[in-house]
Amino acid sequence: MTHRNAILRSLCGSGMHNALDSLGSSPLLFLGGHSASSFAGGSPGSSLAMAGISSWMSVASSIREGSADDVSTLIGQLNGYFSTRSFVVTSAAPTLADLDLYLAIVAKVSGEELESMVGSSVNTRRWLVQCGATLEELAVAAAKNAEYSKIPASKVPKGLNPKPCPLPMFFYGDEDESVVAAAASAVASATAPADKKGKGSGAKPASAPAGGGISDEQKKAAAEKRAKKAAEKAAKKKDQPKAKANKGGAPAAELNVSALDIRVGKIVKAWEHEESEKLWCEEVDLGEETGPRKIASGLRAFYKLDDMQNRMVLVLCNLKARPLGGFPSHGMVLCASNADHTGVEFAVPPEGAKIGERVTFEGFEGEPEPENKVAKKKIFIKLAPDLKTDGNGEVVWKGVKCMTSAGVCKAVNGMANVQVS
């Protein structure tokens, strides 16, 4: 929570009599239309949405203080979060919290680096594109308003570059080749970028016929390609019995939770971070010869110092050491948390679990991946969406329980059906 965030929410809500959160008076409902409805508890749903906006703005503040690695982790978490919703709180369009979080992300990481981080996270990509488009619309609306003409235009860092998505075309197999070629040419013209010399994508190749149809060379190449494809298909079909005979061969290994090194630990010392009001600094005994590990956790809003001392916890160990607010953190204390991060609980081993023992998931045996590979391949981000608590508050991965020699691990107060990270 910062004064900046509180001031922004006040300006968008009661501070200006909800003028920026009412239809007809604002191009965007900056608080999702919840400001007036939440007053004096008039609508529990709107009150919850307002609390969510506050919480997500705090997340944005953390991203501004953090590193690019924090953005990478958040993008993976957002992909799961946005699988069932469009924006961070219930709203028909981006809210102040969405735009604040978007600006925090693109200020830290943009362009090709952001594109690489997002990768195949389609839900996060959709949200980023929508927020970027909304900001562009607001900038255009402000430029047209004479009242704002004396205010310098704000410069927003560029986010993703959405690629053109032409409507799908359907073919039935009996079309003339020239029809297919013309359709392909139209798609290429819409999606191909300008070349290095600045020529548009509409320039025709030298070998293309003047009428825009298909040349003899292209027909010949297409025929050869079809013949090659048919030959490959026939060869593959011929080899199928051999493949069945070799069915006992080992299949390629699939990524699973055994890639994570999750161990039982004990917080032997905890203290407040000198510069961040969100972080606890901890020394965690994992039974290692090198002594306790130093780990920073953003839990000060949820746990007091007495709750941290001598606490048995689960620790994700094969993460590269990195500074959090200048503190060298090597690992992550796992917690269960609800969707809007207003409720957080330690994920804990059962009584009698041994310090340093690695947890197991039945059916997913294997050695953990090295720290550098976990970071480079974003392994935790890929596996995290399936690491949850079940209806009994027990930690599971794809429904398989997280076990120690003493029994199953769980959320300390039994928080059910939430993410663990």
Side-chain angles (χ1 to χ4, degrees):
M1 181 72 71
T2 65
H3 291 303
R4 167 195 176 275
N5 292 354
I7 291 170
L8 284 173
R9 289 193 297 274
S10 177
L11 287 174
C12 292
S14 59
M16 295 181 67
H17 304 286
N18 300 316
L20 295 180
D21 197 38
S22 303
L23 288 172
S25 59
S26 173
L28 187 71
L29 299 181
F30 282 89
L31 299 178
H34 296 294
S35 180
S37 301
S38 66
F39 183 72
S43 168
S46 290
S47 297
L48 187 61
M50 291 294 289
I53 288 173
S54 176
S55 178
W56 280 104
M57 291 182 75
S58 295
V59 173
S61 296
S62 299
I63 291 298
R64 289 188 175 91
E65 296 174 2
S67 65
D69 287 340
D70 297 322
V71 175
S72 179
T73 301
L74 177 65
I75 283 172
Q77 294 171 339
L78 287 177
N79 196 53
Y81 183 75
F82 287 131
S83 64
T84 57
R85 48 182 61 79
S86 297
F87 305 106
V88 295
V89 300
T90 303
S91 175
T95 63
L96 175 66
D98 290 281
L99 301 182
D100 191 29
L101 185 58
Y102 173 84
L103 290 170
I105 290 172
V106 299
K108 188 70 64 174
V109 180
S110 60
E112 291 300 322
E113 186 178 5
L114 180 59
E115 183 70 41
S116 175
M117 281 187 182
V118 174
S120 60
S121 300
V122 293
N123 301 318
T124 305
R125 179 180 296 278
R126 164 177 47 79
W127 174 79
L128 286 168
V129 169
Q130 181 62 60
C131 289
T134 300
L135 283 170
E136 288 182 6
E137 290 175 2
L138 289 174
V140 170
K144 291 180 179 179
N145 194 321
E147 295 180 12
Y148 303 145
S149 61
K150 295 181 181 179
I151 301 176
S154 58
K155 193 169 184 180
V156 179
K158 190 67 175 175
L160 296 174
N161 292 317
K163 298 178 181 178
C165 298
L167 292 175
M169 298 180 182
F170 298 94
F171 299 98
Y172 299 93
D174 56 354
E175 289 84 4
D176 185 85
E177 286 183 334
S178 61
V179 175
V180 178
S185 178
V187 172
S189 297
T191 58
D195 63 23
K196 293 182 180 180
K197 295 180 181 179
K199 294 181 181 179
S201 58
K204 296 180 182 178
S207 60
I214 185 168
S215 68
D216 291 338
E217 291 181 6
Q218 289 172 322
K219 287 181 181 180
K220 184 178 178 181
E224 290 176 352
K225 187 174 182 181
R226 285 195 299 272
K228 183 179 179 182
K229 190 173 182 180
E232 290 175 351
K233 188 175 181 180
K236 186 176 180 181
K237 189 174 182 179
K238 185 178 179 181
D239 291 339
Q240 277 182 349
K242 296 180 181 179
K244 289 181 179 178
N246 192 36
K247 194 172 181 180
E254 294 183 1
L255 185 65
N256 63 61
V257 72
S258 68
L260 304 180
D261 188 9
I262 303 174
R263 297 185 180 272
V264 175
K266 181 179 182 180
I267 300 176
V268 294
K269 183 180 179 181
W271 65 97
E272 295 179 354
H273 192 285
E274 293 182 355
E275 299 178 1
S276 173
E277 60 184 17
K278 300 178 180 65
L279 295 176
W280 284 115
C281 300
E282 307 129 16
E283 288 186 359
V284 183
D285 183 5
L286 291 162
E288 296 174 313
E289 294 181 358
T290 53
R293 286 201 191 192
K294 291 183 177 180
I295 299 176
S297 305
L299 298 173
R300 278 174 62 182
F302 306 100
Y303 285 103
K304 297 179 180 178
L305 180 60
D306 291 342
D307 299 322
M308 302 290 293
Q309 301 283 10
N310 299 314
R311 168 78 67 176
M312 295 294 289
V313 292
L314 298 180
V315 178
L316 178 57
C317 295
N318 55 339
L319 295 177
K320 292 181 70 174
R322 62 188 180 94
L324 286 178
F327 180 81
S329 181
H330 191 190
M332 180 168 65
V333 174
L334 295 178
C335 292
S337 63
N338 58 9
D340 57 6
H341 302 284
T342 56
V344 175
E345 295 181 8
F346 282 114
V348 297
E351 186 175 351
K354 300 175 183 177
I355 291 176
E357 76 168 294
R358 187 184 177 205
V359 305
T360 59
F361 295 81
E362 186 176 358
F364 297 104
E365 289 76 24
E367 292 301 312
E369 297 288 356
E371 293 178 358
N372 60 340
K373 187 173 180 180
V374 171
K376 185 177 181 180
K377 301 293 185 181
K378 298 182 172 60
I379 289 177
F380 180 65
I381 292 174
K382 294 175 182 177
L383 298 175
D386 293 309
L387 189 61
K388 305 176 180 180
T389 59
D390 62 12
N392 297 318
E394 296 176 336
V395 179
V396 297
W397 188 78
K398 289 191 174 182
V400 179
K401 293 183 179 181
C402 174
M403 301 295 296
T404 69
S405 59
V408 65
C409 303
K410 64 179 184 178
V412 67
N413 294 320
M415 185 182 287
N417 300 316
V418 296
Q419 292 291 138
V420 174
S421 61

